Amino acid sequence: MMAELKSTILEVLKVSRAYCLVVHESGRIEMVDDDGDGGLLEIAPYEKDILNAVTEIGKIVELDKGFVLTVGETNRRKYVIICLSVIKTPKLTRDEISWLNSLAFYTNVTVENFLKIEELMERLEKAEEGNSNPAWLKKLLFAIEEKQRSNLAKDLHDSVLQDLISLKRQCELVLEESGQYPAATIEKIQSMNQNILDIIHMTRETCQELRPQILYDLGLVKAVSKLVAQYEEQCNFQIRFNTGNFNKQLDINMQLNLYRIIQELLSNARKHSNAKQILIMLVNIREKIVLHYEDDGVGIDEELLYAKTESMGLSGIRERVKALDGEMKIETSPGNGFRVLIEI
């Protein structure tokens, strides 16, 4: 980037040489270019001018044979370009100064972005070495996942679901003229129409699961209440959902993560628990959000629990809790149900 900047300046302005410098907080000047001692000797008479230029980004200090321009700042270091000529150069025009100021501004923005990317890569490398993703990265990954879910739900709703509804309507139109067809054909069309209707219901449920629209429209409590009702219809257990005086104002990402946690707990109960009764409490105590889940199912030996974390969906729950800067505690044993306490 600095090389391209130098090349551009040399093409446009009446200077013949340019050097890129780094000025440290201590005042030490370091040559970025690999020009040997020649470059250092040539800029030596202008050390005070260079230090004068680094007081602000875009500042220009004109010299007898060129000028000094500060183009960026990172990590307590200033990046400077000094441009020189073999003869005395005329003063910079107003347009040239404005052009150099613009170059300095955009160069500084680019340098800052490079630094942020470099810091991000370092943090990711450290996280990889420690085999643990930081909370901000987990939040980002879950946000991307929700975006993908939302896009898929929209695609299903706008294409597949509409095509199914159109196909069902065609079947109904055929059935309206049922007198023209044999009874066996009518029976097949009726069966086909019912199957299409079942698929429509299933597709709508899938869209709702991928993107719970009620959560966006009416909030977390209403969305979980609907989720609980759906599970009670499909499963052999009863669910008590207690929100107490839950009145905490939460952003949409927090609501989505809590919804997904409860969804995964109920899915886990359906697959593994054989429970008859489930209790879910969602309350806010002072500044904390507390989610308590409890069932009277078969439970599991805690020593085996972590061996089955993946199959039981607990790893995803644990990652979401970490992303929300919360804590999670599990209590279970064979024959004594399954309890989860989450505090955020």
Side-chain angles (χ1 to χ4, degrees):
M1 182 190 67
M2 299 296 283
E4 186 64 29
L5 183 62
K6 279 172 45 177
S7 176
T8 301
I9 292 174
L10 291 173
E11 285 179 9
V12 175
L13 301 181
K14 296 177 181 178
V15 288
S16 56
R17 293 177 307 287
Y19 301 104
C20 293
L21 312 173
V22 174
V23 180
H24 297 269
E25 190 177 33
S26 64
R28 181 171 63 88
I29 299 173
E30 181 182 347
M31 182 82 71
V32 175
D33 308 290
D34 187 15
D35 290 324
D37 294 334
L40 288 171
L41 290 172
E42 188 167 13
I43 69 170
Y46 305 108
E47 184 173 330
K48 289 183 178 179
D49 299 295
I50 294 168
L51 295 177
N52 183 27
V54 297
T55 54
E56 62 180 288
I57 305 300
K59 184 173 181 179
I60 300 170
V61 175
E62 295 195 57
L63 312 172
D64 56 345
K65 295 182 179 181
F67 61 88
V68 180
L69 171 66
T70 301
V71 295
E73 177 182 11
T74 61
N75 285 342
R76 299 179 180 179
R77 294 179 297 179
K78 303 289 180 64
Y79 291 89
V80 175
I81 284 185
I82 179 169
C83 300
L84 301 171
S85 180
V86 292
I87 59 173
K88 288 188 176 182
T89 56
K91 284 188 172 293
L92 295 168
T93 66
R94 183 179 298 176
D95 289 342
E96 289 172 338
I97 291 173
S98 177
W99 179 70
L100 286 171
N101 288 151
S102 297
L103 278 181
F105 171 77
Y106 288 113
T107 301
N108 185 50
V109 170
T110 306
V111 168
E112 287 180 346
N113 287 335
F114 280 154
L115 179 64
K116 288 177 181 178
I117 292 171
E118 191 175 284
E119 289 177 347
L120 175 60
M121 292 306 297
E122 288 177 357
R123 291 171 69 180
L124 289 175
E125 286 172 2
K126 288 179 181 178
E128 186 177 2
E129 289 172 3
N131 198 28
S132 174
N133 292 329
W136 64 266
L137 181 57
K138 291 187 178 76
K139 286 181 182 178
L140 176 61
L141 293 175
F142 285 127
I144 293 172
E145 179 185 325
E146 290 297 337
K147 180 66 175 176
Q148 292 173 331
R149 286 173 181 257
S150 182
N151 290 340
L152 180 56
K154 186 177 185 301
D155 290 342
L156 284 173
H157 182 274
D158 294 346
S159 58
V160 176
L161 185 58
Q162 301 311 312
D163 291 343
L164 287 168
I165 292 172
S166 175
L167 186 59
K168 183 178 184 301
R169 181 57 184 157
Q170 292 176 41
C171 285
E172 290 171 347
L173 290 173
V174 172
L175 289 172
E176 288 175 4
E177 302 172 355
S178 58
Q180 302 178 18
Y181 305 102
T185 302
I186 294 171
E187 187 178 343
K188 288 180 180 179
I189 295 173
Q190 288 174 335
S191 176
M192 184 187 302
N193 188 52
Q194 184 59 49
N195 288 337
I196 293 171
L197 182 60
D198 292 341
I199 295 171
I200 287 173
H201 289 320
M202 187 184 301
T203 304
R204 281 179 172 154
E205 287 179 6
T206 301
C207 290
Q208 170 64 24
E209 184 176 335
L210 287 170
R211 188 182 193 275
Q213 187 61 44
I214 189 173
L215 186 143
Y216 292 88
D217 295 339
L218 300 177
L220 178 62
V221 172
K222 293 291 186 182
V224 175
S225 296
K226 183 176 180 180
L227 181 67
V228 164
Q230 289 173 339
Y231 268 87
E232 284 191 311
E233 287 180 6
Q234 300 167 4
C235 305
N236 295 323
F237 45 65
Q238 292 184 335
I239 305 171
R240 286 183 296 148
F241 178 46
N242 185 355
T243 58
N245 297 319
F246 189 82
N247 54 15
K248 189 83 169 173
Q249 296 298 314
L250 306 175
D251 62 55
I252 190 63
N253 287 328
M254 174 76 83
Q255 293 184 63
L256 273 168
N257 276 296
L258 286 168
Y259 179 88
R260 295 299 183 197
I261 289 170
I262 295 171
Q263 188 178 46
E264 190 60 52
L265 287 168
L266 289 174
S267 175
N268 182 61
R270 178 172 59 186
K271 294 175 183 176
H272 306 288
S273 73
N274 293 329
K276 299 299 181 183
Q277 298 287 334
I278 292 176
L279 170 65
I280 298 173
M281 295 180 61
L282 180 65
V283 296
N284 56 283
I285 303 173
R286 295 180 182 176
E287 296 302 314
K288 283 189 175 183
I289 299 169
V290 178
L291 172 61
H292 175 82
Y293 168 91
E294 181 176 340
D295 67 42
D296 63 353
V298 296
I300 187 174
D301 191 324
E302 286 196 34
E303 292 183 1
L304 300 176
L305 177 65
Y306 297 99
K308 295 188 177 183
T309 291
E310 293 291 338
S311 63
M312 295 180 68
L314 295 177
S315 61
I317 295 175
R318 187 172 284 110
E319 290 300 304
R320 287 186 185 276
V321 172
K322 287 181 181 177
L324 298 174
D325 294 325
E327 296 180 355
M328 173 177 169
K329 182 180 179 182
I330 298 175
E331 293 181 2
T332 184
S333 60
N336 291 314
F338 192 81
R339 286 170 293 281
V340 179
L341 178 64
I342 296 171
E343 294 186 356
I344 300 168

